[in-house]
Amino acid sequence: MNIECIREYCLSKKGTSETFPFDESTLVFKVLDKIFALTGLDRIPTQINLKCDPEYTLELRDQHSDITGGYHMNKKHWNTVMVEGDLEDQMILSLIDHSYDIVVSSFTMKKTKELDSL
């Protein structure tokens, strides 16, 4: 999997936009202005930070050497995933789904209706 595949997948999710709010090399994916994924375009190998359920973060880190505490993020809620490592593409996509779903589940009723109307 490469960064372009990740970009296309993230942007295919309802209500998602991409921005560069921090600098010109940190690509951030948001669902209705809430971050669910970010990646440093200049990082080699390619990595992506994804939001994660706190208990699941620890389980993932124990089971996969390519998943570590979120780089420059709250390590309780974020993981860094090595995209070009040993993880299968489907696993990476499911972690993106999980991150997106966590963010959406935290929406207020107003935000949920906004997303549903898109």
Side-chain angles (χ1 to χ4, degrees):
M1 178 161 288
N2 61 41
I3 192 63
E4 192 55 38
C5 291
I6 287 176
R7 180 180 174 270
E8 288 175 21
Y9 189 74
C10 287
L11 290 175
S12 74
K13 303 193 115 356
K14 191 174 191 176
T16 297
S17 62
E18 64 182 338
T19 63
F20 289 88
F22 306 116
D23 57 41
E24 60 278 347
S25 66
T26 305
L27 177 58
V28 175
F29 297 97
K30 298 178 179 182
V31 54
L32 297 185
D33 298 323
K34 296 282 188 179
I35 297 172
F36 72 92
L38 60 152
T39 184
L41 297 176
D42 56 354
R43 304 268 308 168
I44 298 173
T46 303
Q47 305 169 14
I48 186 170
N49 282 5
L50 299 169
K51 196 150 194 165
C52 191
D53 173 81
E55 290 180 24
Y56 192 36
T57 59
L58 300 175
E59 181 183 326
L60 288 167
R61 292 175 204 164
D62 284 344
Q63 294 176 358
H64 304 281
S65 61
D66 284 336
I67 300 176
T68 59
Y71 180 71
H72 285 303
M73 304 296 282
N74 179 330
K75 288 164 183 42
K76 181 177 179 182
H77 298 280
W78 289 86
N79 279 331
T80 296
V81 177
M82 297 296 172
V83 174
E84 297 167 347
D86 294 328
L87 294 174
E88 294 184 16
D89 291 356
Q90 189 54 47
M91 175 69 166
I92 296 169
L93 297 179
S94 78
L95 292 172
I96 292 170
D97 292 340
H98 178 72
S99 181
Y100 178 90
D101 291 344
I102 283 178
V103 171
V104 169
S105 72
S106 72
F107 282 174
T108 62
M109 190 179 297
K110 181 180 178 182
K111 281 274 192 197
T112 301
K113 286 181 181 180
E114 183 181 342
L115 182 62
D116 288 345
S117 71
L118 298 177

